[in-house]
Amino acid sequence: MTDNSTRLDHVVLWVRDPVASAGFYEQAVGLEPLRVTEFAAGKAPFPSVRLNEETIFDLMPLPMAAYMNMVPGGADSAGHPVNHVCLSLQGNDFQALRTRLEERAVPVSEFSYDSFGARGMAKRSFYFRDPDGNVFEARHYE
């Protein structure tokens, strides 16, 4: 990628079991797992999943909180997920995500309509949680 404009690079999510979380994001959400084998072998400190060509979610094990000393109080962020992360999808992918979640008995919210976001008014959206309680919104604009 040669465009150096400001973009979202990654989001770090605190998780209890990074391998299980990677499985959830791969199977239920449809994201590509990264470094899971290396993590399981002790060769990487955490695995990730690829959201798109330029953005990943890092699946940080809770015990790593003790090493979050780059800013004062950083370790206190463990167990405090952000309010929610929003995934913007194409219409077919949006419906496929909801179907995969429902097939796995992952609770999903009712649809919301015409909610404002980074690209204007989204046609539909819904919310779900990952196994660690992190809240996600899925939406589509077209």
Side-chain angles (χ1 to χ4, degrees), residues 7 46 52 58 93 97 115:
R7 289 186 165 44
F46 55 87
N52 59 39
D58 292 334
D93 294 335
L97 169 60
S115 56

Side-chain angles (χ1 to χ4, degrees), residues 22 25-27 29-33 49-52 57 87 100:
Y25 285 105
E26 178 182 22
Q27 296 164 12
V29 184
L31 304 182
E32 174 192 359
V49 290
R50 182 161 297 287
L51 178 64
N52 59 39
F57 293 150
L87 307 174
R100 285 192 307 272

Side-chain angles (χ1 to χ4, degrees), residues 6 11 13 16-18 20 22 45 51 56-57 69 73-74 76 90 99 111-112 115-116 119 122 126-127 133 141:
T6 302
V11 173
L13 301 172
R16 290 181 299 272
D17 182 340
L51 178 64
I56 61 174
F57 293 150
N69 58 6
D76 296 335
Q90 294 181 357
T99 299
F111 287 116
S112 297
S115 56
F116 180 76
R119 296 171 46 203
F126 68 89
Y127 294 83
Y141 285 94

Side-chain angles (χ1 to χ4, degrees), residues 74-116:
D76 296 335
S77 70
H80 298 281
V82 297
N83 179 271
H84 73 276
V85 175
C86 183
L87 307 174
S88 174
L89 305 157
Q90 294 181 357
N92 290 341
D93 294 335
F94 174 86
Q95 189 56 50
L97 169 60
R98 188 173 178 99
T99 299
R100 285 192 307 272
L101 293 168
E102 289 172 340
E103 287 172 352
R104 288 163 177 79
V106 175
V108 296
S109 73
E110 297 296 323
F111 287 116
S112 297
Y113 299 92
D114 300 319
S115 56
F116 180 76

